[in-house]
């Protein structure tokens, strides 16, 4: 298990996302979280509002990550009405039909934008990325977004509700995290 999934920056980014997207989420929505890793975001959404969602599906191509996601989210998976599930799937070939909200906090780690093109018009979308452009194994950046304008141009939204930058700092180092929320 890679405990950096619970690092200061990871948790700050996900809490920032929760605080901002929750105002746009109605009751009983179906949410897809792409590149979910251990689906800490799904866990945080359910912890903050356990009765708000119809379904939260965490999607990741890595079966080991999904095994851990199932352990992380287990407390919400043993209830009579299971709201959260985690599946192994390539986000570029996933069918987004029926999902009200699509969240991708991992765009810099996904080689293409095929997943975005498959989302139907009118769907609420939340995208996070950062200005980190390191391609070494630790960061594994494949689709860099050196600034928020690059992110906006790659993922055009019909209506934008939120476009902000958030600074994450670690002692003497830091980076910018970007977030877009809007309708495709």
């Amino acid at each position: 298990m890679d405990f950096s999934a619970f690092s200061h920056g990871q948790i700050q980014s996900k809490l920032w996302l929760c605080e901002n997207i929750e105002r746009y989420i109605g009751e009983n929505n179906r949410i897809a979280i792409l590149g979910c890793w251990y689906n800490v975001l799904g866990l945080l959404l359910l912890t903050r509002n356990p009765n708000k969602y119809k379904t939260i599906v965490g999607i990741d191509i890595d079966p080991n990550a999904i095994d851990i996601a199932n352990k992380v989210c287990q407390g919400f998976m043993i209830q009579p009405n299971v709201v959260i599930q985690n599946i192994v799937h390539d986000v570029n070939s996933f069918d987004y039909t029926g999902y009200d909200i699509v969240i991708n906090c991992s765009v810099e780690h996904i080689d293409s934008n095929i997943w975005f093109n498959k989302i139907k018009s009118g769907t609420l979308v939340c995208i996070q990325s950062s200005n980190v452009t390191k391609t070494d194994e630790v960061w594994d950046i494949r689709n860099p977004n050196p600034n928020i304008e690059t992110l906006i141009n790659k993922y055009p939204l019909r209506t934008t509700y939120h476009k902000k930058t958030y600074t994450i700092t670690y002692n003497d180092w830091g980076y910018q995290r970007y977030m877009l929320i809007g309708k495709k």
Side-chain angles (χ1 to χ4, degrees), residues 1 37-38 60-71 88:
M1 178 172 180
W37 198 5
Y38 301 154
D60 203 287
I61 201 165
D62 180 357
N64 294 323
I66 292 301
D67 285 343
I68 294 169
N70 285 334
K71 290 176 177 106
V88 177

Side-chain angles (χ1 to χ4, degrees), residues 117-183:
N117 298 332
K118 293 183 73 171
I119 299 169
K120 72 175 182 160
S121 180
T123 302
L124 183 68
V125 177
C126 178
I127 300 169
Q128 277 190 338
S129 190
S130 72
N131 67 340
V132 177
T133 57
K134 298 176 182 184
T135 57
D136 58 17
E137 188 177 327
V138 173
W139 288 95
D140 193 29
I141 305 296
R142 301 174 189 187
N143 185 3
N145 298 290
N147 54 55
I148 195 167
E149 290 77 23
T150 302
L151 191 68
I152 291 167
N153 289 331
K154 280 185 188 177
Y155 307 101
L157 299 174
R158 184 174 40 114
T159 306
T160 302
Y161 301 131
H162 183 90
K163 60 178 178 184
K164 298 274 184 191
T165 301
Y166 185 75
T167 301
I168 297 186
T169 56
Y170 294 97
N171 300 325
D172 61 345
W173 183 80
Y175 60 94
Q176 297 291 307
R177 193 84 172 136
Y178 319 125
M179 184 164 56
L180 304 176
I181 300 173
K183 295 275 183 155

Side-chain angles (χ1 to χ4, degrees), residues 2 10 16 18 21 29 34 46 50 79-80 93 100 109 111 113 126 133 142 144 149 151-152 168 179:
D2 182 351
Q10 288 286 330
W16 179 50
C18 290
I21 199 169
N29 284 161
L34 314 187
L46 279 171
Q79 299 174 2
S93 63
D100 306 294
H109 304 294
D111 291 329
N113 295 344
C126 178
T133 57
R142 301 174 189 187
E149 290 77 23
L151 191 68
I152 291 167
I168 297 186
M179 184 164 56

